């Protein structure tokens, strides 16, 4: 794939005419509406670069693709041992914060995801053509705390600061042909798919990873077979936290909409914050895209379309309660299907909230029953997170299989055999035995590698062992990830916040997360009962006090499950603490703590911490508060033993 609209050696670029360069750029540019504005910007860039690059040898690229972000860097210039990522702001008289963040984001993206950029010197440069000359600390630029700043007259001088001709030159041919392995956030991925990008363009496909395109091919094959032979089929897509299950589901929904509109493929999620965040992200992005293309689109118009693409599973359920006809949808993707309710939970809800007295099915049974109304064919795709049931009454994979076994024996079942090997999917041997006899194993339906924490694929495995108090295994896994995925400890919340702000570069998102049951963090200033607006927290910028960046509002497991941020502070509460050789589980009621005794409720609480500890893509600080001498609800034993356990595993305290 051609990554740049134009690429030549610097010497060839200097000799080529402006009109020839513009012709090549224009031929590659697809947005005709912006042609005059863009051509004028390119013309100015060409003029400045021809003037400023006369003394250099190397290579130049115009409009270099940054796939994960769905954008293009204005220029990349490689000279000797340095790759400069250059962003032009033609006509600007100052170095704006958003522009600095933009070029740093491009630089970090290449550093993290482009193999040829992992070990080379790579420098972000902002050219504001009318700005004054500013000299920045070289250390701050090389660590991406800021960008090198240039105007139209001193770019050559700025570039020369970073070039060391005594160093080995970059192998440009290797760099150009290096693999790009992006791991987008679910928000970035949803936006890209919605715009029509292929999943192969925005995700990893390296060896050792069962990638999303293979999963999509497998599900598409099952759907086509069901359609051709009038079969009803259900696929269970499993995977480790952060492996891309939601992305796989979004991709299938988009692909099936393109394949056949009459299938009315729909993506359904019971995760309210995820639905709200994705809908808002798609709406905002479409408004911006339309604006940049010279079209007028209101936010309300954009929202109608995005709301049809992503729907709340409970609305789907309630609509089909009102009728016994087959739904219009032939292909339904259920995100986080492990969170569908048990019979007891849904019957209680129907009676209390809907006035339905005689409802007697679990949510999985009812949802399959709705699709079973089709007289010919249909396919359900269930995205299942192992060990991520966090709510009272969430049924897990077990209930889906029991419903199929007891009521829908004519359905074809497709799953990955790895379900049998992990105890956090199925606990009953009888269910495993039935599934192995009744279903068909498809290896592509399990996503085994976490791509959320691209810095360390072993993070989810480490957290699994840590929560199971397998100390030696935890120590070993931590030794493998600590260099790539920073985890630190502190007893001081201000130090935790300082650490986060220091780690984040460009627009990397930081945030404070905690368990909804960590009620006694309130004296320290963390109020888990204070509800957040998930779209504001996840999408708004660092100038908005409601955003995650301000580290004021805390997101709980219910807000953040299925989503992610770059750097997290996990505030550990007294509801789940190390007590000798096991965990102590408790709830805060009224003025005191009460023990949690039911095994299922203990499992929910452990899963809460599993979710919180796997939300950060790049690293985290774990904050465990000090005890209080004057507060009987915060004694030493609630905190110190947990802190000591994490230190024994090898996690270091923040260096003061």
């Amino acid at each position: 794939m051609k990554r740049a609209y134009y690429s030549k050696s610097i010497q060839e670029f200097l000799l080529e005419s402006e009109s020839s360069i513009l012709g090549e750029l224009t031929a590659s540019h697809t947005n005709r509406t912006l042609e005059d504005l863009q051509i004028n910007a390119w013309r100015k860039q060409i003029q400045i670069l021809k003037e400023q690059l006369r003394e250099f040898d190397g290579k130049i690229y115009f409009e270099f693709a940054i796939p994960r972000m769905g954008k293009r860097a204005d220029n990349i210039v490689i000279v000797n041992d340095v790759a400069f990522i250059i962003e032009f702001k033609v006509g600007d008289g100052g170095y704006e914060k958003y522009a600095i963040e933009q070029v740093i984001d491009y630089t970090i993206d290449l550093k993290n995801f482009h193999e040829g950029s992992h070990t080379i010197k790579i420098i972000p440069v902002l050219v504001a053509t009318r700005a004054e000359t500013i000299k920045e600390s070289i250390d701050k630029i090389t660590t991406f705390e800021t960008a090198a700043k240039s105007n139209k007259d001193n770019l050559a001088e700025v570039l020369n600061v970073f070039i060391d001709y005594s160093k080995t030159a970059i192998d440009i041919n290797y760099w150009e042909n290096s693999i790009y392995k992006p791991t987008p956030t679910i928000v970035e991925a949803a936006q890209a798919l919605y715009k029509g990008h292929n999943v192969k363009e925005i995700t990893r496909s390296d060896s050792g990873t069962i990638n999303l395109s293979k999963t999509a091919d497998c599900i598409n094959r099952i759907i086509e077979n069901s359609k051709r032979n009038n079969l009803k089929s259900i696929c269970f897509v499993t995977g480790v936290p952060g492996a891309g299950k939601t992305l796989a589901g979004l991709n299938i929904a988009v692909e099936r909409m393109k394949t056949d509109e009459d299938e009315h493929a729909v993506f359904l999620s019971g995760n309210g914050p995820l639905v709200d965040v994705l809908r808002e992200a798609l709406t905002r992005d479409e408004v911006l895209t339309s604006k940049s293309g010279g079209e007028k689109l209101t936010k309300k118009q954009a929202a109608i379309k995005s709301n049809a693409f992503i729907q709340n599973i409970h609305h789907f359920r309630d609509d089909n309660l009102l009728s016994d006809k087959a739904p219009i949808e032939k292909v339904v993707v259920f995100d986080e299907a492990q969170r569908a309710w048990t019979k007891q939970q849904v019957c209680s809800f129907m009676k209390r909230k809907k006035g339905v007295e005689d409802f007697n099915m679990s949510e999985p049974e009812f949802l399959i029953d709705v699709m079973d109304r089709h007289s010919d064919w249909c396919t359900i795709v269930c995205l299942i997170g192992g060990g991520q049931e966090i709510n009272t009454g969430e049924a897990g994979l077990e209930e889906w299989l029991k419903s199929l076994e007891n009521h829908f024996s004519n359905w074809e079942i497709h799953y990955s055999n790895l379900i049998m090997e992990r105890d956090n999917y199925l606990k009953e041997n009888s269910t495993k035995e039935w599934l192995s006899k009744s279903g068909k194993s498809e290896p592509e339906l399990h996503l085994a590698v976490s791509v959320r924490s691209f810095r360390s694929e072993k993070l989810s495995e480490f957290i699994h062992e840590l929560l199971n108090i397998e100390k030696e295994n935890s120590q070993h896994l931590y030794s493998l990830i600590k260099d790539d995925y920073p985890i630190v400890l502190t007893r001081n919340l201000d130090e935790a916040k300082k650490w986060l702000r220091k780690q984040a570069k460009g627009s990397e998102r930081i945030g404070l997360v905690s368990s909804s049951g960590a009620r006694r963090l309130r004296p320290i200033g963390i109020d888990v009962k204070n509800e957040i607006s998930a779209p504001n927290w996840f999408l708004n910028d660092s100038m908005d006090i409601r955003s995650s960046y301000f580290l004021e509002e805390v997101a709980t497991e219910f807000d953040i499950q299925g989503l992610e941020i770059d750097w997290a502070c996990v505030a550990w509460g007294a509801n789940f603490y190390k007590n000798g050789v096991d965990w102590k589980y408790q709830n805060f009621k009224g003025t005191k703590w009460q023990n949690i005794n039911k095994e299922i409720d203990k499992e929910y609480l452990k899963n809460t911490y599993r979710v919180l500890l796997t939300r950060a893509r790049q690293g985290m600080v774990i904050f465990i508060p000090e005890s209080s001498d004057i507060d009987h609800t915060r004694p030493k034993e609630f905190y110190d033993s947990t802190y000591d356990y994490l230190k024994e595993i090898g996690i270091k305290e923040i260096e003061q």
Side-chain angles (χ1 to χ4, degrees), residues 53 56 77 84 86 125 154-163:
L53 297 182
F56 298 105
V77 172
F84 296 98
I86 303 176
V125 181
N154 70 337
L155 180 59
E157 184 184 333
V158 169
L159 301 188
N160 264 322
V161 169
F162 300 95
I163 302 166

Side-chain angles (χ1 to χ4, degrees), residues 511-522:
L512 180 61
V513 301
S514 187
S515 162
S516 60
R519 297 288 176 85
R520 296 308 295 149
L521 290 174
R522 191 171 66 174

Side-chain angles (χ1 to χ4, degrees), residues 92 135 180 182 198 229 253 331 381 449 505 645:
D92 279 15
K135 295 206 176 191
Y180 186 87
N198 188 294
N229 297 302
V331 176
V381 180
V449 176
K505 313 298 183 198
Y645 169 57

Side-chain angles (χ1 to χ4, degrees), residues 567-611:
W567 302 89
C569 170
V570 180
W572 202 298
N575 58 330
F576 181 73
Y577 70 90
K578 185 85 167 10
N579 182 30
V581 295
D582 207 347
W583 295 107
K584 177 77 172 176
Y585 304 80
Q586 52 186 13
N587 276 328
F588 193 77
K589 294 282 179 69
T591 61
K592 60 184 180 181
W593 291 101
Q594 296 180 352
N595 291 336
I596 295 173
N597 297 314
K598 285 186 182 176
E599 287 305 314
I600 186 68
D601 292 334
K602 289 181 178 180
E603 197 63 28
Y604 289 146
L605 183 50
K606 184 188 281 190
N607 287 344
T608 288
Y609 278 82
R610 189 190 315 278
V611 167

Side-chain angles (χ1 to χ4, degrees), residues 140 202 248 406 549 601:
K140 285 190 174 181
I202 61 168
N406 296 330
Y549 290 109
D601 292 334

Side-chain angles (χ1 to χ4, degrees), residues 18-38:
E18 182 181 299
S19 59
S20 173
I21 298 166
L22 280 171
E24 197 167 333
L25 290 169
T26 305
S28 299
H29 193 52
T30 54
N31 191 336
R32 301 299 171 199
T33 313
L34 271 182
E35 206 164 279
D36 288 343
L37 182 62
Q38 184 64 71

Side-chain angles (χ1 to χ4, degrees), residues 120-188:
I120 64 170
K121 192 193 300 182
I122 185 165
I123 299 294
V125 181
L126 174 61
V127 181
T129 56
R130 295 182 180 175
E132 293 180 1
T133 299
I134 286 185
K135 295 206 176 191
E136 287 279 8
S137 157
I138 292 175
D139 287 345
K140 285 190 174 181
I141 295 165
T142 55
T143 56
F144 310 144
E145 290 177 56
T146 190
K149 298 173 180 67
S150 162
N151 55 40
K152 64 183 176 63
D153 298 316
N154 70 337
L155 180 59
E157 184 184 333
V158 169
L159 301 188
N160 264 322
V161 169
F162 300 95
I163 302 166
D164 184 348
Y165 288 102
S166 69
K167 301 286 186 186
T168 305
I170 292 168
D171 182 337
I172 291 176
N173 189 51
Y174 168 75
W175 185 88
E176 276 187 3
N177 293 292
S178 287
I179 298 168
Y180 186 87
K181 301 189 289 188
T183 56
T185 67
I186 192 59
V187 170
E188 291 167 339

Side-chain angles (χ1 to χ4, degrees), residues 64-78:
F64 191 93
I66 311 289
R68 184 180 72 93
M69 304 175 74
K71 294 178 180 174
R72 289 180 177 271
D74 285 343
N75 297 98
I76 293 181
V77 172
I78 298 179

